[in-house]
């Protein structure tokens, strides 16, 4: 199952959101602490200014009344607050400490009575009484809803901008990863646009150059192989004709068999070198499997019939020529190297249509499985005869990938070789004209 967190974009999203959450929480905490400190400093400066103003007023204009909420109380007045004997709130304690630091050292500073309007009582060494001045509330009742709303707006804007930047960064990487996947499956790979950071552009440029060089090498090899195989068909036909004219029946039959084996190898070369998409009409895979099974039974009536487990239904279709070549190569390989019964299975899988061909022979050694589908590789040197060139499984893999599918070669639990081919569900809806257009059409579509 594909998890979004495994992708580069998913991890960038988690990283960006995590960083933004931490930064906004830190910003919120710093703003709150700085706001409290600013309020305390402002309240201290305002109270100290009022105390000094009262002192000057008493010294210069003792007969003039004081402003509202500002008064001078005698030292022995009954309402003078006592020094705090219990723990007081931290904001008030910090205010009193800052107030004492702001005033001379011998100044006594006391808070007003709880429940009354906020005030501070100050008595200096030269004061005739207590100077009472109002102070601002150290923690004014402010609603946090507005701050949280602005915080949410800023956070959402930052997340959207960061996600857009992350998408811009990972989009070229995703295109390159898709192109690498297509190239690894042997499918036509159009050039990837070179965009993004400098290092990514350099990587994309190197990949495009590698694809061009590999494609050119493949084309040169295919042209050479097809030319050689095509040129051999004429002398082989003449050699077969001359063999048919031999008098010795035993020698004639041996030469004819050898010529037939060579012709089969040449045909395999031509199929392997053919690199154009199959433009034949799609046919039902289940019906074709039944038809080929009956044909093999008619050719070898004494052999054990091919077992069929066809569950895909009429929706599973493949191009006729591709399907015939797939089944003929796999069945020839199973009859030559495997053991009966041979089983053909079709079904609807989780990721696409599945076509399986299996036998019950010895299978392939686990160490040789990775080499099984390589061209011109014979896992058993004794298999060189009978017209086998080491291209059977290589042709199957190339045909399956050219049709948009995947091919997996392995041994099944009951013993024997098993070839599992998986094709996308939409293969039945692809128009024939699109398949005939080949790689150029796919490049334009992309």
């Amino acid at each position: 199952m594909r998890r979004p967190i495994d992708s580069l974009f998913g991890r960038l999203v988690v990283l960006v959101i995590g960083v933004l959450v931490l930064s906004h929480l830190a910003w919120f905490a710093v703003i709150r602490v700085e706001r409290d400190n600013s309020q305390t400093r402002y309240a201290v400066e305002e109270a100290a200014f009022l105390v000094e103003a009262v002192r000057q007023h008493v010294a210069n204009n003792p007969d003039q009344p004081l402003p509202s909420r500002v008064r001078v109380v005698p030292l022995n007045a009954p309402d003078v607050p006592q020094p705090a004997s219990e723990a007081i709130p931290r904001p008030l304690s910090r205010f009193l400490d800052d107030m004492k630091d702001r005033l001379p050292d011998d100044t006594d500073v006391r808070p007003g009575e709880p429940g009354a309007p906020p005030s501070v009582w100050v008595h200096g060494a030269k004061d005739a009484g207590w100077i009472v001045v109002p102070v601002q509330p150290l923690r004014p009742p402010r609603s946090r809803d507005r701050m949280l709303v602005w915080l949410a707006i800023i956070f959402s804007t930052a997340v959207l901008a960061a996600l857009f930047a992350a998408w811009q960064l990972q989009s070229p990487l995703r295109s390159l990863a898709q192109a690498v996947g297509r190239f690894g499956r042997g499918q036509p790979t159009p050039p990837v646009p070179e965009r993004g950071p400098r290092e990514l552009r350099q990587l994309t440029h190197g990949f495009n150059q590698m694809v061009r060089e590999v494609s050119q090498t493949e084309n040169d090899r295919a042209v050479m192989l097809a030319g050689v195989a095509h040129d051999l068909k004429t002398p082989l036909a003449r050699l077969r004709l001359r063999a048919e004219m031999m008098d010795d029946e035993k020698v004639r039959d041996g030469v004819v068999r050898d010529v037939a084996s060579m012709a089969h190898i040449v045909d395999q070369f031509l199929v392997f070198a053919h690199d154009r998409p199959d433009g034949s009409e799609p046919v039902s895979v289940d019906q074709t499997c039944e038809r080929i099974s009956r044909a093999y039974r008619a050719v070898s009536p004494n052999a054990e019939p091919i077992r069929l487990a066809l569950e895909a239904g009429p929706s599973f279709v493949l191009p006729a020529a591709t399907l015939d070549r797939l089944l003929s190569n796999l069945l020839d390989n199973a009859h030559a190297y495997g053991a009966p019964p041979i089983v053909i299975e079709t079904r609807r899988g989780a990721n696409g249509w599945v076509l399986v061909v299996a036998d019950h022979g010895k299978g392939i050694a686990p160490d040789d499985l990775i080499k099984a589908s390589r061209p011109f590789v014979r896992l058993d040197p004794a298999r060189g005869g009978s017209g086998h060139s080491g291209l059977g499984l290589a042709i199957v893999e190339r045909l399956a990938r050219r049709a948009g599918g995947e091919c997996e070669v392995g041994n099944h639990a009951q013993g024997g070789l098993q070839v599992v081919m998986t094709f996308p569900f939409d293969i039945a809806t692809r128009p024939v004209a699109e398949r005939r257009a080949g790689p150029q059409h796919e490049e334009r579509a992309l």
Side-chain angles (χ1 to χ4, degrees), residues 5 72 79 121 150 170 185 224 297 345 382 440-441:
I5 193 64
V72 177
D79 56 344
W121 295 59
W150 280 108
Q170 68 88 34
R185 293 191 297 270
M224 181 185 66
R297 191 180 309 168
E345 178 186 354
Q440 292 80 9
H441 182 276

Side-chain angles (χ1 to χ4, degrees), residues 358-359 361-369 408-420:
D359 62 63
K362 296 181 180 179
I364 298 177
D367 295 339
D368 294 333
L369 282 175
E408 181 180 356
V409 180
N411 299 316
H412 57 84
Q414 290 77 20
L417 186 68
Q418 176 178 261
V419 180
V420 181

Side-chain angles (χ1 to χ4, degrees), residues 74-118:
L75 295 177
N76 55 358
D79 56 344
V80 175
Q82 299 298 321
S85 59
E86 299 179 355
I88 58 179
R90 179 175 176 81
L92 181 57
S93 174
R94 184 171 56 188
F95 169 77
L96 296 177
D97 293 339
D98 291 347
M99 192 71 183
K100 292 177 181 178
D101 293 339
R102 178 67 174 76
L103 299 174
D105 295 338
D106 54 355
T107 303
D108 188 5
V109 180
R110 300 180 186 180
E113 292 295 333

Side-chain angles (χ1 to χ4, degrees), residues 156-168:
S156 301
T157 305
V159 167
L160 292 177
L163 292 184
F164 179 76
W167 181 82
Q168 289 286 343

Side-chain angles (χ1 to χ4, degrees), residues 15 156 169 283 302 356 405:
L15 177 62
S156 301
L169 178 63
V283 295
N302 297 327
V356 182

